[in-house]
Amino acid sequence: NASGLIVWVADRAGSALFPTLTHGYSPAVLARMSSIPRDADNAAAASWRLGELRTVTAQGHAPGALVTPIVTAEGCVGVLAAEITGLCDEGIAILAEAAGATTDTLINGHGLMAGGTLRQADGGGNKAISHLDFEGIEAAMGDAAAACE
């Protein structure tokens, strides 16, 4: 289950990510959130710098995470981060694939706003997803949980 979602967007200088849209976090947690520097040693910064999907393994009571780059014609402009509770890396990967976001898939921010679909980038290259398949995620929860048993 996703316990929280954050859309992190880069500032104009490209030096830091800022939480722009959030879901699932208390006002107290949101008040403590700050920017993430481009060179930070975490999954959000790495996904942004490299334009690649990143996963974070859950440890103890801390949730795992799936972080996907948001790409426009100008390049990677931020990331979508989802905290995932109760799943191992393999389970998170199953959910990512069910959502249409894999290690070779980018989120197309313009397509998201226009309600687009998954497509192959012009001239080959990486696929771009312009919506997340939430029904697919829900349907894959059983397989994701089973992979972690």
Side-chain angles (χ1 to χ4, degrees):
N1 295 337
S3 57
L5 297 169
I6 305 175
V7 174
W8 293 89
V9 176
D11 62 359
R12 291 187 189 267
S15 61
L17 292 171
F18 291 86
T20 305
L21 298 170
T22 64
H23 177 74
Y25 295 94
S26 71
V29 170
L30 293 174
R32 291 192 311 267
M33 281 188 192
S34 62
S35 63
I36 299 174
R38 184 172 189 83
D39 61 352
D41 185 22
N42 65 38
S47 180
W48 176 39
R49 281 190 312 269
L50 302 171
E52 298 174 354
L53 180 129
R54 292 285 188 242
T55 61
V56 176
T57 303
Q59 295 185 357
H61 294 291
L66 173 68
V67 184
T68 305
I70 300 171
V71 178
T72 70
E74 291 134 13
C76 187
V77 297
V79 298
L80 170 66
E83 286 189 351
I84 310 289
T85 57
L87 292 178
C88 61
D89 282 351
E90 186 177 346
I92 291 172
I94 289 169
L95 292 185
E97 187 170 331
T102 63
T103 55
D104 65 347
T105 307
L106 306 173
I107 291 182
N108 177 329
H110 292 301
L112 278 170
M113 299 304 174
T117 59
L118 182 67
R119 67 174 183 81
Q120 185 73 22
D122 295 338
N126 290 339
K127 294 182 288 185
I129 191 169
S130 52
H131 79 280
L132 295 177
D133 182 357
F134 291 105
E135 290 178 3
I137 294 169
E138 190 67 31
M141 282 302 297
D143 289 340
C148 299
E149 293 177 350

